[in-house]
Amino acid sequence: MIENVRFDLPNGISLHCRVAGPLGAPVLLFLHGFPEAAFIWDALLEHFSDRYRCVAPNLRGYAPSSAPPEAEHYRIQHLVGDIDALIACIGARPVSGLVAHDWGGAIGWAIAAQHPDWIQRLFIVNSPHPAIFLRQLQRDPRQQAASAYMNFLCREDAEQRLSENDFARLWAMFTSMGANDPQRVGGDWMTDALRQEYRAVWRAGLTGACNYYRASPLRPPTATDRTVMSITLAPERVTSLRPTVVVWGEEDLALLPSLLEGLDTYVPDLRLVRVPRATHWIVHERPQLIANELENQLSVPCKSELQ
């Protein structure tokens, strides 16, 4: 059974989490992206809760978790700090696996590179590695165009525009960031119940969700903002130091397949799973595939588990 549990962190942030599974069991931690929330992982929580303590937080900025209003509070160090504090509250360092999609993946990549002792495994779903994303934003006009929505989400009026006409622009993202024909990606997964879950999160406020984009310099260059062109990332700061599985829906129209080129340079222990006929929303489209691939990763003992 999935429960809602609030964790009050020492940094003043409260994270409301979806939690399932026995206390004392190995922990799986699930991190969502934009414009989602913890509920996207419910099928996986149910699948793994017979053997694992599964925890899926609503990240800062997503109701009912804390949502600081200032964009500076959504820089990556603060997002990573939340997960550090959450793991401490759970009392399970290292967690057996960190499973992450989209913005959750940005946090996951940072943890695997800079704080590998917090986790035993990393499982990424359609979330670009920061060094490769930077490379493509600087050099590839196709990825720059595909990521142009990021600059829209930085606008001062983004929340207002996203809320118009029953969140019409947000609903459109589920097709504009994926395939337009739902039959090509396993059917129409957006049920009425799921729509209500999304509406509840969006109606509580969108400023926090937009602040992720306002706080990040990794977005396409524009005529007035070319910050991304001057950024460099030291390889030692972004190399994953944990066994990593990357599952990638190949029909993601926002994050192009070129973001997988050279991934092994930064992920020495990598297994890459390309999924044809799946999009950015593969967690909804193919939950059983995600569960199976995660099962495969968990079946291989890590060095720390053998000691």
Side-chain angles (χ1 to χ4, degrees), residues 3-26:
E3 301 177 296
N4 294 306
V5 179
R6 187 181 80 183
F7 292 90
D8 295 322
L9 309 182
N11 61 5
I13 295 293
S14 293
L15 296 183
H16 288 246
C17 302
R18 304 281 284 162
V19 178
L23 287 168

Side-chain angles (χ1 to χ4, degrees), residues 7 9-11 80-90 93 118:
F7 292 90
L9 309 182
N11 61 5
V80 169
D82 287 350
I83 303 308
D84 179 25
L86 178 61
I87 293 172
C89 287
I90 297 169
R93 190 187 306 273
W118 298 0

Side-chain angles (χ1 to χ4, degrees), residues 150-159 161 210 214:
M150 302 177 75
N151 289 320
F152 174 87
L153 295 173
C154 294
R155 292 171 52 133
E156 291 184 0
D157 64 346
E159 298 94 320
R161 293 172 68 86
C210 291
R214 294 168 178 146

Side-chain angles (χ1 to χ4, degrees), residues 153-259:
L153 295 173
C154 294
R155 292 171 52 133
E156 291 184 0
D157 64 346
E159 298 94 320
Q160 175 188 340
R161 293 172 68 86
L162 292 173
S163 299
E164 292 171 352
N165 301 317
D166 184 32
F167 307 105
R169 286 183 174 85
L170 286 172
W171 298 125
M173 292 184 72
F174 292 114
T175 52
S176 64
M177 291 178 69
N180 290 322
D181 180 0
Q183 296 306 314
R184 297 178 63 203
V185 293
D188 187 1
W189 48 265
M190 182 60 81
T191 64
D192 288 342
L194 193 56
R195 282 182 179 273
Q196 287 305 106
E197 294 265 27
Y198 275 108
R199 280 193 183 95
V201 173
W202 299 344
R203 284 172 176 165
L206 292 167
T207 295
C210 291
N211 277 344
Y212 280 68
Y213 296 91
R214 294 168 178 146
S216 174
L218 291 185
R219 55 180 185 264
T222 67
T224 58
D225 184 359
R226 299 184 59 80
T227 302
V228 70
M229 304 304 291
S230 62
I231 296 174
T232 58
L233 294 174
E236 63 272 16
R237 293 288 294 168
V238 292
T239 296
S240 175
L241 301 178
R242 282 292 173 259
T244 302
V245 171
V246 174
V247 175
W248 201 272
E250 291 190 315
E251 293 195 35
D252 190 329
L253 300 184
L255 300 172
L256 305 182
S258 57
L259 290 168

